[in-house]
């Protein structure tokens, strides 16, 4: 009998050791807390970033580590690593801030924060990889609770590993007493898998200008929705002082359905969508911010300081987990005319009490008298006001095989409606010093037209040639454009003509200009360089060209409408003057046409309807020449300069169209630019550049889309999938204890107990057979001493905490909440009844693909 009891004790010790070896995921909280940042003494009450809420739930306290900003409009950031490796879901946000000191807060999710310091100036960026906005707060907004079954996914293989908190301190006078600020947000997370995944959709105007004294100014935003169905459950509005009302809508078949409407001068919380709204493929999301310029003495632009403005409409949504997208943005207006039908409510300000206005955005009563008319385009950009600038980098796609295509001189690039790359090249023809005489008449007609296919359709992913055309049609190809119907529009500088070609047509559908005849009247061109077709009106814009200095406009059927431009005079080039208008790009949402004014090294933009000059973009980095320009919806302008002069660097540029500022520059890794001639970009920020001298096309991608490319560049070698898997495996082995899933740990805890009970039953059965009824009392007295240690003081449940605590040197931390008895009375201080200010969003309706 003593041997049996010893065997049971050994089994229990094995069980204990297995439990210690495979700790509950919550046990990592102790490890994490030991290494957490040190806070200011004024924040000592907030130095527990991780708080266990039971077997599957925990709270994460994300706070500024006791900071004192030195000047107004300071943006400070800090990061916190997710303390578990497996997937978790954020289901609740509780702000810990006051508008007396904080203008607004943003919470991002990402994998690589911009700094490893306790906190840093957000001018350094928030994250070096793609970041998603998870939460936004301003003006004493109450907590936000997600509907049941909905959560923001973090951790695991695909979720964010870090939280980055950005705090905007608007008015530094709140820190006259030199106190230290610990503002932040507390998250409630759970390991329980959520069937519906939450995400954030940000609608934001990036180009609004509010004239001084103007009574009413509208900022409109609209985008097509082209993803799986999403269901909206909360919204938030954000402007600065001049905003009166912000409204968001779904537009379906011409019908406007309200998502939410609120004054940005009220607490900027996430308010529940009163009537559930679903968004399906083909719908349009639209928003309007209503501003006033009264009281201002100069223009107000979109920007990050209190004297600037913003127009943001945030939407919280959920999607089925298998189709979930965590973050989407809309920064354009695809159809300005649709806003003629916007419901009248969007044009009616919401009254706000004067005492609320006095406290706008955390500025105290006495500070509101200060002037707020200072403005500078050079103000540092912040994450909220300008997503275009957020840690944005373009890198060559080093594994794209298209760079090795056998091509002639590459003169033109475009993207067709399927987003395939289309290349226009010169085959075996060359443009050299013998091609033209002094009157610009082509001198090599005896060569005949190019015998190769000059138009190639390329698969953007693997560079396979999908289609080809243009054989025996052209002598010296130059510009290429593709209209919304997929027709090719090309220019030939030798023929002095513009052609419209169907994809599979052997003959041109339309020809402008006279073959081989240079001229400058309505019916002739002189070496035309490029062509663009307005997607709305169908009007045709031709840049003409090497020996003319003008833009010529034709109707869709080729009738002359107007022209503008002149040769550059001596001295500084004036607006509307050209020295080789070389490349065109339309900016439909602004009604503008932009021209790469090559030899003047600048971009000029004009109103497409009138030819009226609107702006010039010129930078020293351009050097002496700027060859090509391309615009994508959302406010990004791409350009490339040409053959270098001493001191110039040949490179590509990414610019903010609204401000003209350079966001990024880029060069290839494989080969080098010699004379890059054309550039084209897609909406996902994939960029292609063709070079006439190198006879090459490069593909570039953004860091938001190709993090592995950046890693390869930093390591100066391609990323190996196999090595990545090995690293992940090694990383998992190193962190096996905290990485064990909840289900596995539960199983490991239960199996020894089942085995123990089975052995006890077997012993009881054997004793009964051997000793008879007297065995009952003997078994109870021996096994009772063991099980009694598991039960602890109470007789109603299993208390693993007490059991393990009875062993010397073992800490209870991490197991206290595992007791099955008394847990109903064991609550954190914050577990009381919800505040009356807090709203609980309505539960989601059944998921459906359409309404």
């Amino acid at each position: 009998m003593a041997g049996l009891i010893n065997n049971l004790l050994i089994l229990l010790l094995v069980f204990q050791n297995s439990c210690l070896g495979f700790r509950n995921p919550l046990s990592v909280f102790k490890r994490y807390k030991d290494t957490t940042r040190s806070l200011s003494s004024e924040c000592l009450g907030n130095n527990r970033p991780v708080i266990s809420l039971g077997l599957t739930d925990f709270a994460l306290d994300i706070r500024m580590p006791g900071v004192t900003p030195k000047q107004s409009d300071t943006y400070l950031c800090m990061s916190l690593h997710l303390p578990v490796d497996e997937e978790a879901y954020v289901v609740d946000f509780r702000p810990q801030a006051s508008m007396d000191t904080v203008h607004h807060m943003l919470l991002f999710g990402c994998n690589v924060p911009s700094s490893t310091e306790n906190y840093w100036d957000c001018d350094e960026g928030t994250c070096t990889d793609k970041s998603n906005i998870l939460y936004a707060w301003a003006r004493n907004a109450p907590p936000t609770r997600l509907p049941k079954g909905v959560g923001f996914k973090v951790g695991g293989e695909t979720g964010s590993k870090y939280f980055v908190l950005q705090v905007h301190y608007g008015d530094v006078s709140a820190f006259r007493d030199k106190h230290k600020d610990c503002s932040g947000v507390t998250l409630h997370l759970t390991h329980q898998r959520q069937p519906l995944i939450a995400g954030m959709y940000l609608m934001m105007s990036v180009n609004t200008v509010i004239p001084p004294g103007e009574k009413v100014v509208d900022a409109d935003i609209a985008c097509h929705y082209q993803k799986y169905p999403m269901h909206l459950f909360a919204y938030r509005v954000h402007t600065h002082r001049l905003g009166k009302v912000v409204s968001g809508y779904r537009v379906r078949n011409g019908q406007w359905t309200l998502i939410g409407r609120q004054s940005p001068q009220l607490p900027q919380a996430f308010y529940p969508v009163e009537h559930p709204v679903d968004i399906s493929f083909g719908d349009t999301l639209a928003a309007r911010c209503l501003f006033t310029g009264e009281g201002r003495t100069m223009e107000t632009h979109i920007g990050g300081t209190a004297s600037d403005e913003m127009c943001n409409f945030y939407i919280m949504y959920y999607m089925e987990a298998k189709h979930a997208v965590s973050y989407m943005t809309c920064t354009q207006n695809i159809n300005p005319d649709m806003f003629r039908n916007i419901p009248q409510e969007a044009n009616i300000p919401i009254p706000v009490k004067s005492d609320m206005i006095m406290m706008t955005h955390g500025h105290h009563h006495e500070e509101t008298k200060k002037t707020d008319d200072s403005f500078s385009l050079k103000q540092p950009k912040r994450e909220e006001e300008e997503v275009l600038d957020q840690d944005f980098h373009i890198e060559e796609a080093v594994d794209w095989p298209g760079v090795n295509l056998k091509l002639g001189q590459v003169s033109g690039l475009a993207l067709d409606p399927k987003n395939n790359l289309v290349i226009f090249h010169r085959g075996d023809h060359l443009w050299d010093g013998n091609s033209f005489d002094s009157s610009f008449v082509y001198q090599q007609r005896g060569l005949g037209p190019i015998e190769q296919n000059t138009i190639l359709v390329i698969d953007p992913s693997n560079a396979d040639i999908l289609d080809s055309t243009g054989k025996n049609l052209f002598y010296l190809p130059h510009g290429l454009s593709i209209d919304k119907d997929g027709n090719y529009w090309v220019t030939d500088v030798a023929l002095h003509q513009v052609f419209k070609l169907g994809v599979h047509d052997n003959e041109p559908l339309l020809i402008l200009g006279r073959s081989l005849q240079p001229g400058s009247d309505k019916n002739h061109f002189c070496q035309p360089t490029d062509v663009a077709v307005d997607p709305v009106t169908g009007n045709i814009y031709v840049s003409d060209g090497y020996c003319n200095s003008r833009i010529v406009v034709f109707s869709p059927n080729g009738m002359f409408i107007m022209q503008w431009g002149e040769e550059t005079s001596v001295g500084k080039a004036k607006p509307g003057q050209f020295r080789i208008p070389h490349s065109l790009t339309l900016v439909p949402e602004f009604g503008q046409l932009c021209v790469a004014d090559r030899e003047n090294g600048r971009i000029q933009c004009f109103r497409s309807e009138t030819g009226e000059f609107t702006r010039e973009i010129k930078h020293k980095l351009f050097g002496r020449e700027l060859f090509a320009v391309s615009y994508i919806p959302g406010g990004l302008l791409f350009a490339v300069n040409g053959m270098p002069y001493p001191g110039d660097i040949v490179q590509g540029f990414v610019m903010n169209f609204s401000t003209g500022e350079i966001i990024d520059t880029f060069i290839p890794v494989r080969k080098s630019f010699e004379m890059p001639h054309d550039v084209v970009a897609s909406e996902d920020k994939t960029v292609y550049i063709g070079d006439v001298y190198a006879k090459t096309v490069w593909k570039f991608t953004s860091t938001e889309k190709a993090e592995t490319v950046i890693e390869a560049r930093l390591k100066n070698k391609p990323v190996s999938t196999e090595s990545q898997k090995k690293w992940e495996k090694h990383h998992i082995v190193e962190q096996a204890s905290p990485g064990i899933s909840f289900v596995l740990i539960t199983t490991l805890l239960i199996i020894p107990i089942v085995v123990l009970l089975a052995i006890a039953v077997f012993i009881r059965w054997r004793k009964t057979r051997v000793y008879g009824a007297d065995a009952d009392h003997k078994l109870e007295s021996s096994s009772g001493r063991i099980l009694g240690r598991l039960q602890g003081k109470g007789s109603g449940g299993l208390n693993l905490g007490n059991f393990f605590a009875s062993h010397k040197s073992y800490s209870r931390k991490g197991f206290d909440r595992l007791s099955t008895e008394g847990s109903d009375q064991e609550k954190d201080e914050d577990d009381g009844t919800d505040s009356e200010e807090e709203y609980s969003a309505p539960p989601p309706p059944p998921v459906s693909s359409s309404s």
Side-chain angles (χ1 to χ4, degrees), residues 126-417:
T126 53
C127 301
T128 59
D129 63 335
K130 182 179 179 182
S131 59
N132 299 328
I133 296 179
L134 301 176
Y135 178 67
W137 174 95
R139 305 202 70 250
N140 289 348
T144 299
R145 173 172 291 175
L146 276 59
K148 186 176 181 181
V150 176
F152 283 91
K153 181 180 175 182
V154 295
E157 294 183 0
T158 59
S160 299
K161 306 298 189 299
Y162 279 87
F163 296 104
V164 176
L165 176 69
Q166 180 196 87
V167 179
H168 176 195
Y169 297 97
D171 191 54
V172 76
S173 65
F175 290 88
R176 288 170 180 164
D177 59 354
K178 307 298 182 181
H179 75 274
K180 298 184 181 300
D181 182 67
C182 308
S183 297
V185 59
T186 301
L187 311 183
H188 181 170
L189 297 97
T190 180
H191 289 291
Q192 294 181 353
R193 187 177 297 275
Q194 303 297 294
L196 301 170
I197 304 302
M200 186 79 72
Y201 194 109
L202 171 58
M203 305 185 72
M204 178 175 66
S205 173
V206 298
N207 49 55
T208 298
V209 178
I210 305 171
E214 191 75 25
K215 188 172 183 179
V216 177
V217 179
D218 297 329
D220 296 333
I221 316 158
C223 287
H224 289 310
Y225 183 75
Q226 297 179 326
K227 296 185 183 297
Y228 285 94
M230 66 175 178
H231 304 269
L232 316 184
F233 64 91
Y235 71 96
R236 173 182 179 263
V237 304
H238 180 75
T239 73
H240 292 175
R241 294 193 182 110
L242 303 185
K244 297 300 181 183
V245 63
V246 182
S247 308
Y249 298 87
R250 179 196 71 189
V251 184
R252 177 183 292 172
N253 299 324
Q255 298 296 316
W256 293 68
T257 300
L258 180 67
I259 298 171
R261 172 177 175 266
Q262 190 55 274
S263 168
Q265 306 308 324
L266 293 173
Q268 293 181 1
F270 277 96
Y271 295 89
V273 176
E274 293 186 5
H275 304 287
V277 178
D278 70 282
I279 308 296
S280 300
F281 188 97
D283 289 342
T284 297
L285 286 163
R288 166 170 285 181
C289 297
L290 186 70
F291 294 100
T292 180
E294 294 178 327
R296 293 289 172 98
T297 59
M298 61 185 299
E299 287 185 345
T300 304
H301 294 247
I302 297 297
T305 70
S307 60
D308 296 325
E309 265 304 336
M310 290 185 184
C311 170
N312 295 356
F313 186 76
Y314 296 84
I315 304 171
M316 273 192 183
Y317 61 86
Y318 62 82
M319 305 174 75
E320 292 183 84
K322 60 182 178 181
H323 301 311
V325 179
S326 61
Y327 183 56
M328 293 179 272
T329 61
C330 171
T331 61
Q332 57 181 302
N333 184 358
I334 57 164
N335 186 4
D337 289 338
M338 69 183 288
F339 284 88
R340 296 175 182 174
N341 300 317
I342 193 171
Q344 187 59 30
E345 63 188 355
N347 302 315
I348 302 174
I350 294 178
V352 180
K353 294 180 180 180
S354 59
D355 60 336
M356 293 298 294
I357 297 177
M358 292 291 186
M359 296 293 291
T360 297
H361 306 296
H363 291 264
H364 295 279
H365 182 111
E366 60 271 23
E367 276 78 38
T368 59
K369 297 178 182 179
K370 295 180 180 180
T371 179
D372 55 5
D373 294 320
S374 60
F375 168 75
S376 171
L377 281 176
K378 300 299 182 180
Q379 289 292 342
K381 294 291 180 289
R382 314 294 180 181
E383 290 286 343
E384 183 172 9
E385 82 258 18
E386 185 54 76
V387 290
L388 301 178
D389 290 0
Q390 59 172 356
D391 304 321
F392 184 82
H393 295 288
I394 295 292
E395 302 285 347
E396 183 189 351
V398 294
D399 57 347
W400 189 63
V403 74
N404 298 316
L405 287 170
K406 302 301 181 182
L407 304 168
Q409 291 183 333
V410 179
S411 62
L413 301 175
L415 297 172
D416 68 13

Side-chain angles (χ1 to χ4, degrees), residues 275-583:
H275 304 287
V277 178
D278 70 282
I279 308 296
S280 300
F281 188 97
D283 289 342
T284 297
L285 286 163
R288 166 170 285 181
C289 297
L290 186 70
F291 294 100
T292 180
E294 294 178 327
R296 293 289 172 98
T297 59
M298 61 185 299
E299 287 185 345
T300 304
H301 294 247
I302 297 297
T305 70
S307 60
D308 296 325
E309 265 304 336
M310 290 185 184
C311 170
N312 295 356
F313 186 76
Y314 296 84
I315 304 171
M316 273 192 183
Y317 61 86
Y318 62 82
M319 305 174 75
E320 292 183 84
K322 60 182 178 181
H323 301 311
V325 179
S326 61
Y327 183 56
M328 293 179 272
T329 61
C330 171
T331 61
Q332 57 181 302
N333 184 358
I334 57 164
N335 186 4
D337 289 338
M338 69 183 288
F339 284 88
R340 296 175 182 174
N341 300 317
I342 193 171
Q344 187 59 30
E345 63 188 355
N347 302 315
I348 302 174
I350 294 178
V352 180
K353 294 180 180 180
S354 59
D355 60 336
M356 293 298 294
I357 297 177
M358 292 291 186
M359 296 293 291
T360 297
H361 306 296
H363 291 264
H364 295 279
H365 182 111
E366 60 271 23
E367 276 78 38
T368 59
K369 297 178 182 179
K370 295 180 180 180
T371 179
D372 55 5
D373 294 320
S374 60
F375 168 75
S376 171
L377 281 176
K378 300 299 182 180
Q379 289 292 342
K381 294 291 180 289
R382 314 294 180 181
E383 290 286 343
E384 183 172 9
E385 82 258 18
E386 185 54 76
V387 290
L388 301 178
D389 290 0
Q390 59 172 356
D391 304 321
F392 184 82
H393 295 288
I394 295 292
E395 302 285 347
E396 183 189 351
V398 294
D399 57 347
W400 189 63
V403 74
N404 298 316
L405 287 170
K406 302 301 181 182
L407 304 168
Q409 291 183 333
V410 179
S411 62
L413 301 175
L415 297 172
D416 68 13
K418 297 180 181 179
N419 226 32
N420 294 316
L421 174 66
V422 182
I423 300 173
F424 197 29
H425 73 114
R426 294 173 184 160
D428 57 3
H429 282 206
L430 298 175
W431 185 354
D432 56 28
N434 300 316
S435 297
F436 295 90
D437 64 13
S438 60
S439 299
F440 307 106
V441 176
Y442 187 56
Q443 299 296 296
Q444 297 173 335
R445 284 174 286 179
L447 296 175
I450 301 169
E451 296 180 355
Q452 298 87 23
N453 282 316
T454 54
I455 300 175
L456 305 178
V457 182
I458 305 298
D459 188 310
S461 60
N462 56 25
D464 288 346
I465 299 177
L466 305 177
D467 198 2
S468 59
T469 187
K471 182 187 298 185
N472 295 317
L473 286 176
F474 308 110
Y475 286 82
L476 281 180
H478 200 276
L480 168 67
S481 180
I482 300 177
D483 64 24
K484 65 178 182 179
D485 298 318
N487 298 304
Y488 303 141
W489 293 79
V490 299
T491 70
D492 188 310
V493 293
L495 293 171
H496 305 288
Q497 288 180 303
V498 176
F499 300 86
K500 176 184 180 182
L501 300 170
V503 177
H504 300 295
D505 294 330
N506 295 323
E507 297 296 327
L509 303 176
L510 179 67
I511 301 176
L512 301 174
R514 299 288 187 264
S515 177
L516 297 168
Q517 298 180 19
S520 57
D521 59 23
K522 298 178 181 179
N523 300 313
H524 292 80
F525 301 112
C526 192
Q527 297 177 344
T529 54
D530 203 5
V531 59
V533 180
D534 192 302
V536 178
T537 65
N539 286 345
I540 306 159
Y541 299 85
V542 179
S543 51
D544 179 39
Y546 280 93
C547 36
N548 288 328
S549 299
R550 61 178 182 167
I551 306 298
V552 192
V553 187
F554 299 88
S555 68
N557 59 3
M559 298 299 292
F560 175 85
I561 296 177
M562 64 175 176
Q563 68 177 38
W564 71 82
E566 61 182 26
E567 188 176 350
T568 300
S569 58
V570 178
K572 184 178 180 180
K574 298 177 181 178
Q577 294 183 340
F578 299 106
R579 185 174 284 132
I580 307 181
H582 195 256
S583 171

Side-chain angles (χ1 to χ4, degrees), residues 16-91:
Q16 172 191 354
N17 290 332
S18 67
C19 291
L20 290 173
F22 298 101
R23 290 176 295 174
N24 184 288
L26 297 181
S27 66
V28 302
F29 295 162
K30 176 181 181 293
R31 169 180 59 84
Y32 181 77
K33 187 172 67 176
D34 292 340
T35 61
T36 189
R37 66 192 185 280
S38 58
L39 298 178
S40 161
S41 59
E42 297 183 32
C43 303
L44 288 179
N46 305 317
N47 64 353
R48 289 185 63 208
V50 184
I51 304 168
S52 170
L53 300 179
L55 279 173
T56 61
D57 290 22
F58 61 97
L60 196 60
D61 205 31
I62 306 173
R63 303 286 195 101
M64 276 293 161
V67 299
T68 304
K70 300 297 188 296
Q71 60 184 20
S72 296
D73 291 314
T74 293
Y75 285 71
L76 296 180
C77 291
M78 60 80 61
S79 66
L80 193 65
H81 190 276
L82 185 68
V84 293
D85 294 322
E86 61 269 32
E87 289 180 1
Y89 300 85
V90 182
V91 297

Side-chain angles (χ1 to χ4, degrees), residues 758-796:
I759 292 175
V761 170
F762 175 76
I763 293 173
R764 181 185 181 92
W765 174 73
R766 287 294 302 270
K767 286 293 182 180
T768 301
R769 293 188 58 185
V770 174
Y771 299 108
D774 292 337
D776 290 346
H777 176 72
K778 294 179 181 179
L779 180 62
E780 288 174 3
S781 63
S782 60
S783 62
R785 288 192 297 271
I786 300 171
L787 294 178
R789 296 180 66 190
L790 285 175
Q791 290 177 339
K793 294 180 179 180
S795 59

